[in-house]
Amino acid sequence: MDEALLRSLTPNVLGILVRRGADFAAAEDAVQDALVEALRVWPADHPRDPKGWLVTVAWRKFLDATRSDTARRRREDLVDEEPAPGPARSVDDTLQLYFLCAHPSLTPSSAVALTLRAVGGLTTRQIAQAYLVPEATMAQRISRAKRTVNGVRFDQPGDVATVLRVLYLVFNEGYSGDVDLAAEAIRLTRQLAAGIDHPEVAGLLALMLLHHARRGTRTAPDGSLVPLAEQDRSRWDTKLIAEGVEILQAALARDRLGEFQAQAAIAALHADAQTAEETDWVQIVEWYDELVRLTDSPVVRLNRAVAVGEADGPRAGLAALAELDDSLPRHAAVAAYLHERDGDPVTAARLYAEAAQKAPNLAERDYLTRQAARLNARR
């Protein structure tokens, strides 16, 4: 219980230290030291005000770390700002901290990686998978970002686009089932939408709501994956779907299309179909064409190949897939699906097995392994 509480309090405590003058890297170290101290002390003596305790201890850790002859004057100024005893203000600083981490001195990709690691709670491995790069490469990127902002005062918040990218990736990681961050990402995006009139903020919120509406049907009671076509659509959250569609329609009416609006439009088309067979795949392909134009993302092109296979037949999908690098994550899984639909179970079984070996999580690996076994059993 204490570990979950500490995880929820960490962004707020980190934000308080940064606003009080601590540079980001030193603040992060101080908060980590305070968390270690909490895990040691709290089992025997749990504080009545956990957040106030963490703020006080983290601030003192920061002050201890900054003591030196060259920093003495600065240290004495900071001592005057030490938080007073008693309950800390109940303020949610998480979204503000997202903006602070998206600092102008960082490139967008570095700002996203740093925020996901420091605030979003994702591991370096999870972030690397999201960016399709080796874990060592992402570790170096995060380290460079920390060095860049070390000593920088965080009084120049970053731009909305970078924050949206972070929220999107946090939601995706939570949605994957590896860690439960999806609800938190929705909460923060709602806050952002309430404070900023921007069609892409609305598009991202709509996208999250439409995906979250069917989260309860994505896995079976035993934890195994349930593909979209096999999900029980009567269990989808129609209230969330209606809200997401309404938000999306208002955003699209402003005629400032962005990638999150396009993705939400695809999700809305899936949500609108009463059965998998009624899905409007032709229109989905058209929206993927818009996404390719907006992003030129290889992952978007991979998803488009699936949609083409549904709209125009598996051979058309395989032709679209042939234009892509076969080292893309889930490339083998898509190829297996399309080959199976094209009547080639031998090739499909081999590709399902290959995809299972590359799967990013246990649930996906088990699903792909079962698909390979199902086809092999028919031979």
Side-chain angles (χ1 to χ4, degrees):
M1 181 181 296
D2 281 343
E3 291 185 9
L5 176 61
L6 290 171
R7 181 186 181 89
S8 68
L9 292 174
T10 296
N12 288 342
V13 176
L14 184 56
I16 289 171
L17 264 64
V18 169
R19 291 201 308 280
R20 288 183 180 276
D23 64 70
F24 186 85
E28 186 181 26
D29 290 340
V31 171
Q32 291 299 319
D33 289 342
L35 295 177
V36 172
E37 185 74 4
L39 290 173
R40 184 181 69 82
V41 172
W42 286 13
D45 185 19
H46 199 286
R48 286 181 295 178
D49 178 22
K51 179 179 175 181
W53 189 96
L54 280 175
V55 170
T56 299
V57 172
W59 187 254
R60 287 173 179 165
K61 295 286 186 183
F62 167 71
L63 293 179
D64 289 344
T66 57
R67 288 192 177 98
S68 67
D69 291 337
T70 57
R72 185 176 302 276
R73 184 177 297 276
R74 177 59 181 155
R75 181 200 68 197
E76 292 173 352
D77 291 340
L78 293 173
V79 169
D80 294 335
E81 301 173 16
E82 183 173 342
R89 287 187 308 152
S90 180
V91 177
D92 185 357
D93 301 302
T94 309
L95 189 57
Q96 182 181 9
L97 193 55
Y98 272 61
F99 272 95
L100 292 174
C101 286
H103 196 270
S105 63
L106 296 172
T107 64
S109 61
S110 294
V112 169
L114 178 62
T115 313
L116 290 172
R117 185 71 185 91
V119 188
L122 273 64
T123 66
T124 302
R125 176 184 60 81
Q126 291 166 335
I127 302 169
Q129 288 176 347
Y131 270 90
L132 310 180
V133 299
E135 184 175 348
T137 300
M138 183 53 65
Q140 293 174 354
R141 183 179 300 178
I142 294 172
S143 294
R144 285 196 300 269
K146 288 182 177 180
R147 289 196 300 270
T148 299
V149 299
N150 189 28
V152 173
R153 290 298 298 268
F154 280 67
D155 54 1
Q156 293 180 280
D159 65 357
V160 174
T162 301
V163 174
L164 288 179
R165 178 62 50 189
V166 174
L167 289 169
Y168 173 66
L169 291 175
V170 169
F171 175 81
N172 275 351
E173 192 58 46
Y175 188 59
S176 75
D178 198 10
V179 285
D180 188 12
L181 295 169
E184 174 68 358
I186 291 174
R187 183 184 71 83
L188 293 173
T189 307
R190 284 190 186 278
Q191 284 188 12
L192 188 59
I196 297 179
D197 183 21
H198 191 293
E200 273 294 81
V201 176
L204 178 58
L205 179 56
L207 174 63
M208 289 179 174
L209 295 175
L210 289 163
H211 277 302
H212 209 61
R214 56 184 181 87
R215 183 171 190 176
T217 65
R218 294 183 71 249
T219 55
D222 62 0
S224 59
L225 286 182
V226 180
L228 176 60
E230 300 174 18
Q231 290 173 15
D232 181 357
R233 298 181 181 224
S234 68
R235 293 177 52 212
W236 287 1
D237 189 329
T238 54
K239 183 178 178 181
L240 282 183
I241 291 173
E243 182 185 4
V245 169
E246 181 180 0
I247 292 171
L248 173 63
Q249 288 175 339
L252 291 175
R254 301 177 65 175
D255 200 24
R256 291 169 56 193
L257 183 64
E259 63 171 299
F260 294 124
Q261 295 169 72
Q263 287 192 56
I266 293 170
L269 286 167
H270 283 298
D272 186 55
Q274 295 298 307
T275 65
E277 292 72 23
E278 295 176 63
T279 304
D280 189 346
W281 286 106
V282 172
Q283 193 172 169
I284 287 176
V285 171
E286 292 174 355
W287 277 111
Y288 271 121
D289 289 340
E290 290 289 345
L291 263 178
V292 169
R293 181 182 62 81
L294 290 165
T295 68
D296 196 28
S297 163
V299 175
V300 170
R301 292 181 181 275
L302 185 68
N303 291 332
R304 179 184 178 277
V306 176
V308 169
E310 298 290 354
D312 301 326
R315 294 199 177 182
L318 287 168
L321 188 65
E323 300 174 3
L324 305 177
D325 187 342
D326 61 10
S327 67
L328 273 174
R330 298 185 173 90
H331 185 284
V334 171
Y337 173 74
L338 291 172
H339 276 289
E340 181 181 0
R341 289 200 59 224
D342 194 39
D344 186 356
V346 175
T347 301
R350 175 179 58 79
L351 288 169
Y352 275 130
E354 178 185 325
Q357 294 177 350
K358 301 176 181 178
N361 56 65
L362 182 61
E364 191 170 330
R365 186 185 71 188
D366 288 348
Y367 171 78
L368 293 167
T369 300
R370 287 196 303 272
Q371 296 307 302
R374 173 178 58 81
L375 292 179
N376 284 327
R378 296 177 180 177
R379 294 165 61 181

